Amino acid sequence: MAILIVALVAISVPAVWVITRNSGDVTIKPVAEAKPVAQEEPEKPQETSFWSSSTEVKASTHADRAPVELGTRFTAAKSGSVTGVRFYKAPGEKGKHTGSLWDAKGHRLAQVTFAGESPSGWQEASFSSPVRLEAKQIYTVSYHSTNGTYVGTQGSVPTRSGPLSTTSRNSGVFGYGGNAFPKQSNPKGYNYWVDVVFSWGNRRPRPGGTHSPRPTVTVTASQTGLPTPTTGPSGTINPTSTGSPSPSTDPTVTISPTTGSTVTVSPTPRPTPTGSRWPTSRPTPTWTRWPTSRPTPTWTRWPTPRPTRTHTPTPTPTRTHTPTPEPTLSPEPTDNPGPGGRTCVDFPTPACTGVPPGTKLTEKRLNDDGAYRVTTPGAVLNAVHIPGDLLITANNVTVKNSQIDGLVINELGPNTYSFKIYDSTVGVADRCQSLPGIGESKFTAERVLIRNHGDGFRASGDDIVIRDSFVDLCSNPGDHSDGIQTYYTGRGLTFDHNTVDQRGVEDITAPIFLTDPQIVDVSVTNNLVMGGTYSIQLKNARGSLVVRGNKIVDKTWEYEPVEADCDKIDWSDNSIVTIDRNYNVTSTVGPLPCAK
């Protein structure tokens, strides 16, 4: 009798089988049982969406009569694939629709045109091929309506389905105009009923521990004449053969005696991984107009601040440096004290902007929508604390010596209202808010401190004057942070003698971002700016365009200091400088030429 010992090594605990061959018969007896190890088995592919085709949508219909992109921001706890996009079609909506998937930087990952739409209700379209998504990254799914009729539900809450979840804040987003990345959100937290079709399939461990390496199978022969097999995960051993066993992809060792009897020893297979790793995309950004009468019937254009991240402004002790006098430039800086009695002699800092020290503030009670609303023409808010947003819906309003924790906005539906704001602070110290600090049109801002907003000022109309103000920016993932951004700006923008600090902010565009084709007559003078992809961008504008006396802090930009339509601009006396921690200019590196 010949004995063939097969040792099955599983991790560090061997399983030894004694194989006895007698008269052509083979018997296998376990000598020591291997310790069980954890195995993984495939999990069937699964698919989910936030809502089903049977979900009843009770939402108001909005008719903006303008092209709009509406979307939902979401993330997935597991990696997987997006196969398509769904949206709820409003009654009366006409025209074709396209669906898109975007990463957090605003790069379109896939697009599809909806076909065979029903008059209203849920519509679905599949991308030509699935798009792989990485776990825990933010994405946006959207659809574009050229007609501008859509549904929206106010006060939506975070939604989960399987590994999918909408972002905790500002999940509903939109943008007016062409088929572009929707970035704006409404402070009232609208849901625009745009859905994603997501699939995933992972491996899950069986009970018993963690996944173990593929076991090694060793076969030793004690009888001369039996072939010595090669070591490997699998093989076929034929004692009549004089060669090595032929490899097999089946993780089974088969020993075929000359009699034809077969014994199979099946070691624990190691599952083949089904997933792959792919690079993490970094989010990036462009402000666009907001629906709510864009989309929202009440106070338009904004839906809800994004996820927040603490941003610490640069400290600004008392100024000690006295800069070299420079010639007076046009328009002249505002050196005369205003209503607050202060002046920013050099470039503005937190020391000469915002609520004057020692001011006693009276807190105002917010309305149910999280805003304090001014409805009386000529009203004056002096030394007040508004613990949310300030909504101005009357003309000739004055705000001074006040703290506004949220944003200041003067647009309701299609209407905007004039106001002035002096010596006031907009924003809080302990969180970053993605929405602009102050907007939209027909306003004057002087000695205002805007802190911890993704955008400082938003210009969306005529007659805007911003002077002697300090903007300290921040960003949340997916933002396109700007010190001032134009959108359907119109005529007569003056941005004079301000400081905009965008250093250290991750999701950025520019401290001065003026690229709106509607811009007519703009003056950018005597400002100190730092940071951004480009520090100053002025493009697509017309009329009188003046960029004069500005200083850009050396090597704070990512690409170039300037991107502009130089042949259209009156460009002079701009320079690159260095500064100290108190925003005092310490040296002039050289002149700043215009560059496209």
Side-chain angles (χ1 to χ4, degrees):
M1 179 180 69
I3 297 177
L4 177 64
I5 298 177
V6 180
L8 174 60
V9 181
I11 311 180
S12 59
V13 182
V16 180
W17 300 76
V18 177
I19 303 179
T20 303
R21 183 162 62 87
N22 187 13
S23 303
D25 295 327
V26 176
T27 303
I28 293 184
K29 297 180 180 180
V31 176
E33 186 174 348
K35 181 180 178 180
V37 296
Q39 303 178 46
E40 290 183 345
E41 60 184 7
E43 183 179 351
K44 293 182 179 180
Q46 300 181 62
E47 186 176 272
T48 191
S49 296
F50 290 113
W51 306 282
S52 71
S53 57
S54 61
T55 299
E56 183 179 358
V57 176
K58 296 180 179 180
S60 300
T61 298
H62 305 266
D64 289 356
R65 297 183 178 86
V68 63
E69 188 89 13
L70 300 130
T72 301
R73 298 171 70 234
F74 70 95
T75 186
K78 295 182 178 182
S79 298
S81 299
V82 167
T83 59
V85 57
R86 307 168 65 240
F87 78 96
Y88 193 89
K89 185 176 180 180
E93 166 69 343
K94 300 177 181 179
K96 294 183 178 180
H97 302 88
T98 57
S100 297
L101 179 69
W102 316 79
D103 67 14
K105 285 183 172 287
H107 300 141
R108 195 196 313 268
L109 305 178
Q111 187 175 31
V112 64
T113 299
F114 287 85
E117 295 184 26
S118 59
S120 64
W122 286 106
Q123 316 295 320
E124 182 172 336
S126 298
F127 296 127
S128 58
S129 59
V131 182
R132 294 290 295 174
L133 299 191
E134 185 175 2
K136 300 179 181 179
Q137 298 299 310
I138 294 176
Y139 298 90
T140 298
V141 62
S142 68
Y143 79 97
H144 186 261
S145 165
T146 56
N147 189 48
T149 302
Y150 56 91
V151 296
T153 302
Q154 180 180 321
S156 62
V157 296
T159 303
R160 294 181 180 274
S161 178
L164 287 181
S165 60
T166 59
T167 54
S168 58
R169 301 178 68 185
N170 297 358
S171 59
V173 289
F174 61 90
Y176 283 107
N179 183 203
F181 180 52
K183 176 176 177 276
Q184 187 53 46
S185 57
N186 187 291
K188 294 184 178 180
Y190 270 76
N191 172 19
Y192 303 115
W193 298 97
V194 190
D195 205 353
V196 63
V197 182
F198 180 78
S199 65
W200 78 99
N202 295 330
R203 296 180 179 274
R204 59 188 175 205
R206 293 174 180 164
T210 58
H211 173 70
S212 63
R214 182 187 292 248
T216 301
V217 179
T218 304
V219 180
T220 58
S222 61
Q223 179 182 359
T224 305
L226 285 178
T228 301
T230 59
T231 301
S234 62
T236 300
I237 303 174
N238 188 338
T240 61
S241 170
T242 58
S244 301
S246 59
S248 166
T249 57
D250 189 346
T252 300
V253 174
T254 302
I255 302 176
S256 301
T258 55
T259 60
S261 300
T262 301
V263 176
T264 301
V265 179
S266 299
T268 302
R270 181 176 66 181
T272 303
T274 57
S276 61
R277 300 189 67 181
W278 53 89
T280 302
S281 59
R282 182 189 160 191
T284 170
T286 308
W287 254 103
T288 47
R289 213 157 177 108
W290 19 54
T292 173
S293 147
R294 303 244 181 85
T296 110
T298 49
W299 73 282
T300 67
R301 293 203 216 210
W302 315 72
T304 324
R306 296 193 183 156
T308 58
R309 182 173 65 198
T310 302
H311 176 78
T312 304
T314 305
T316 52
T318 305
R319 187 182 296 107
T320 57
H321 175 75
T322 303
T324 303
E326 297 187 58
T328 302
L329 302 174
S330 176
E332 297 180 358
T334 306
D335 288 336
N336 295 323
R342 293 182 299 165
T343 178
C344 296
V345 178
D346 299 324
F347 288 108
T349 72
C352 64
T353 58
V355 179
T359 303
K360 185 177 180 180
L361 302 177
T362 301
E363 185 166 311
K364 294 291 187 178
R365 184 176 179 179
L366 302 180
N367 299 329
D368 292 339
D369 60 2
Y372 180 79
R373 183 168 174 177
V374 180
T375 58
T376 304
V380 176
L381 296 180
N382 184 23
V384 300
H385 174 209
I386 297 174
D389 298 330
L390 172 58
L391 173 60
I392 297 172
T393 59
N395 285 314
N396 302 317
V397 171
T398 299
V399 181
K400 59 183 180 180
N401 307 316
S402 297
Q403 165 74 48
I404 298 92
D405 290 353
L407 55 91
V408 180
I409 179 71
N410 66 335
E411 182 185 58
L412 182 63
N415 301 316
T416 56
Y417 304 86
S418 61
F419 72 95
K420 296 180 180 179
I421 181 168
Y422 303 104
D423 301 287
S424 295
T425 301
V426 179
V428 293
D430 60 352
R431 71 177 185 274
C432 179
Q433 303 178 70
S434 295
L435 295 176
I438 297 177
E440 295 282 316
S441 65
K442 297 186 291 187
F443 69 86
T444 295
E446 293 184 2
R447 292 176 306 283
V448 173
L449 168 60
I450 296 181
R451 60 184 180 181
N452 289 330
H453 276 270
D455 281 4
F457 294 95
R458 180 174 169 106
S460 295
D462 299 337
D463 305 323
I464 298 171
V465 177
I466 302 166
R467 281 197 175 100
D468 298 330
S469 295
F470 182 89
V471 181
D472 190 17
L473 296 166
C474 65
S475 74
N476 292 304
D479 284 352
H480 296 242
S481 177
D482 303 293
I484 177 172
Q485 182 187 10
T486 55
Y487 188 82
Y488 290 109
T489 296
R491 295 181 175 274
L493 169 62
T494 297
F495 194 71
D496 174 55
H497 197 233
N498 304 288
T499 299
V500 183
D501 192 345
Q502 199 176 36
R503 294 174 297 178
V505 181
E506 293 185 6
D507 302 289
I508 56 176
T509 306
I512 298 177
F513 184 55
L514 314 177
T515 61
D516 184 358
Q518 281 72 29
I519 298 173
V520 180
D521 302 339
V522 61
S523 177
V524 179
T525 54
N526 308 308
N527 301 290
L528 175 66
V529 297
M530 58 215 79
T533 53
Y534 299 88
S535 294
I536 296 178
Q537 289 183 277
L538 176 54
K539 298 164 40 176
N540 307 317
R542 52 201 169 91
S544 174
L545 310 177
V546 178
V547 179
R548 185 181 301 153
N550 300 286
K551 300 186 187 304
I552 297 179
V553 177
D554 190 27
K555 298 177 182 177
T556 58
W557 55 83
E558 286 192 4
Y559 302 147
E560 297 289 343
V562 175
E563 185 183 45
D565 295 334
C566 300
D567 55 341
K568 300 178 181 179
I569 301 172
D570 177 3
W571 183 282
S572 63
D573 299 321
N574 302 292
S575 58
I576 298 175
V577 301
T578 60
I579 61 172
D580 62 19
R581 61 181 298 177
N582 302 317
Y583 299 95
N584 297 308
V585 175
T586 55
S587 68
T588 299
V589 177
L592 175 65
C594 189
K596 292 184 178 181

